[in-house]
């Protein structure tokens, strides 16, 4: 029993790590562009986003579009591994608490399991997210690598800076992770009930994941903007205090929709792709690992 449990946790960690890495690398150029708009007062439009990507490519080269992706990987691999693994564990825990052991959870515990998984992962990996945001918005001369970012922030701004923007992150991750996992699990259950097939196809998984990403990210987007502003304040010459003060300042300077929802249309492209790839990769890797573990060894 204990051995099976260890295998299950290890499978979840490996599948989650791969899911996060594949999904984030696929959308890294769009992610970097979104962050650059979120932290500036420049007005967002598809045309401006395209222009920024094109100018970055011309001035800094093709691979510069993935600048900060190494920091993203350092963060996203443990983050996704912890989040997916924690989600499986919370589902099991809530299943035994509510008496649904072995069955699909009802809507409320399904939402709680997702929220707790996201919160657990965010708490454990937050400084890496801070570092990744700094690398995305600064020229490469400023920070040479991830370790350099940590050293400079600690020396020049203090260790506390590594947790700047932590409050909006946690406030945002509760609806984001909760709704993402809730939507994906719900769509899978509805599909199984109506189609009679226990497992959806990879294309159906991608579609369910895309819907999950769209709903989750739309619900928590203003807090994502606030988080990015607070994380990059030190290098962009701003001084943001609390979450509410940052929100008020953004709304006063740029307006409610143009400020707090800046780049959301790009997120509607990037988010569903990333979340769809992430959930699909996780599920398919889990299935593959289970098959490999249960396949009989070579005959002697």
């Amino acid at each position: 029993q204990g051995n099976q449990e260890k295998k299950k946790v290890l499978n979840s960690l490996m599948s989650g790590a791969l899911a996060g890495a594949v999904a984030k690398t696929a959308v890294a150029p769009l992610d970097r562009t979104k962050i650059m708009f979120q932290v500036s007062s420049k007005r967002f439009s598809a045309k401006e986003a395209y222009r920024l990507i094109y100018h970055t490519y011309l001035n800094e080269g093709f691979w510069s579009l993935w600048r900060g992706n190494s920091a993203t990987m350092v963060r996203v691999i443990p983050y996704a591994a912890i989040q997916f693994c924690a989600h499986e564990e919370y589902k099991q825990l809530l299943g035994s608490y509510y008496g649904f052991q072995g069955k699909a959870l009802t809507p409320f515990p399904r939402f709680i399991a997702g929220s707790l998984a996201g919160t657990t992962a965010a708490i454990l990996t937050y400084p890496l997210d801070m570092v990744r945001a700094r690398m995305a918005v600064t020229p490469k001369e400023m920070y040479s690598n991830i370790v350099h970012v940590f050293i400079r922030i600690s020396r020049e701004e203090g260790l506390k800076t590594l947790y700047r923007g932590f409050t909006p992150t946690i406030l945002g991750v509760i609806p984001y992770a909760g709704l993402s996992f809730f939507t994906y699990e719900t769509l899978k259950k509805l599909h199984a009930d109506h189609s009679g097939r226990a497992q959806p196809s990879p294309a159906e998984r991608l579609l369910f994941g895309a819907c999950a990403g769209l709903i989750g990210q739309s619900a928590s987007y203003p807090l994502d903007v606030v988080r990015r502003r607070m994380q990059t304040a030190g290098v962009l010459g701003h001084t943001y205090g609390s979450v509410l003060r940052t929100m008020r300042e953004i709304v006063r300077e740029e307006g409610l929709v143009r400020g707090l929802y800046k780049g959301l249309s790009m997120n509607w492209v990037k988010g569903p792709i990333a979340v769809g790839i992430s959930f699909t990769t996780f599920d398919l890797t889990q299935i593959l690992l289970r098959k490999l573990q249960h396949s009989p060894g070579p005959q002697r």
Side-chain angles (χ1 to χ4, degrees), residues 240-260:
Y240 293 119
S242 65
V243 174
L244 283 174
R245 206 175 305 152
T246 307
M247 268 190 175
R248 270 203 302 268
E249 207 168 311
I250 293 168
V251 171
R252 192 178 67 242
E253 288 174 10
E254 299 162 55
L256 179 69
V257 176
R258 283 182 192 161
L260 290 177

Side-chain angles (χ1 to χ4, degrees), residues 21-50:
V22 172
K24 277 293 182 186
T25 302
V27 297
L30 292 175
D31 215 14
R32 185 184 179 211
T33 306
K34 182 200 76 171
I35 292 172
M36 288 172 91
F37 274 102
Q38 282 182 327
V39 301
S40 76
S41 54
K42 214 188 288 180
R43 195 173 160 189
F44 177 84
S45 70
K47 193 178 169 185
E48 284 300 316
Y50 169 75

Side-chain angles (χ1 to χ4, degrees), residues 126-139:
Y126 185 77
L128 295 166
D129 186 45
M130 168 75 173
V131 167
R132 175 258 185 154
R134 284 289 179 98
M135 283 188 82
V137 300
T138 53

Side-chain angles (χ1 to χ4, degrees), residues 8 82-98 105 109-121 123-124 181:
K8 201 173 129 241
I82 293 164
Q83 180 175 242
F84 278 107
C85 182
H87 183 245
E88 294 298 306
E89 294 305 306
Y90 285 129
K91 272 201 309 186
Q92 202 172 312
L93 211 66
L94 290 164
S96 28
Y97 180 79
Y98 284 102
L105 293 173
R110 208 177 293 158
F111 175 81
I112 294 296
S115 294
L116 287 171
T119 306
T120 304
I123 288 168
L124 294 174
F181 279 107

Side-chain angles (χ1 to χ4, degrees), residues 28 31 34 54 64 66 84 88 92 94 136 151 163 178 183 215 227 230-231 234 241-242 259-260 268:
D31 215 14
K34 182 200 76 171
Y54 185 62
S64 69
W66 273 264
F84 278 107
E88 294 298 306
Q92 202 172 312
L94 290 164
I151 292 166
Y163 276 88
T183 306
I215 291 165
R227 164 176 72 129
M230 290 176 82
Q231 284 177 336
S242 65
L260 290 177
W268 283 341

Side-chain angles (χ1 to χ4, degrees), residues 1-11 89 92 293:
Q1 187 101 35
N3 218 20
Q4 282 296 106
E5 192 56 38
K6 272 184 203 161
K7 263 187 195 171
K8 201 173 129 241
V9 169
L10 197 62
N11 282 2
E89 294 305 306
Q92 202 172 312
Q293 281 162 3

Side-chain angles (χ1 to χ4, degrees), residues 31 81 105 124 157 169 179 202 253 260 262 279 299:
D31 215 14
L105 293 173
L124 294 174
E157 300 170 58
T169 299
L179 285 168
E253 288 174 10
L260 290 177
K262 183 187 288 179
F279 278 125
Q299 298 296 313

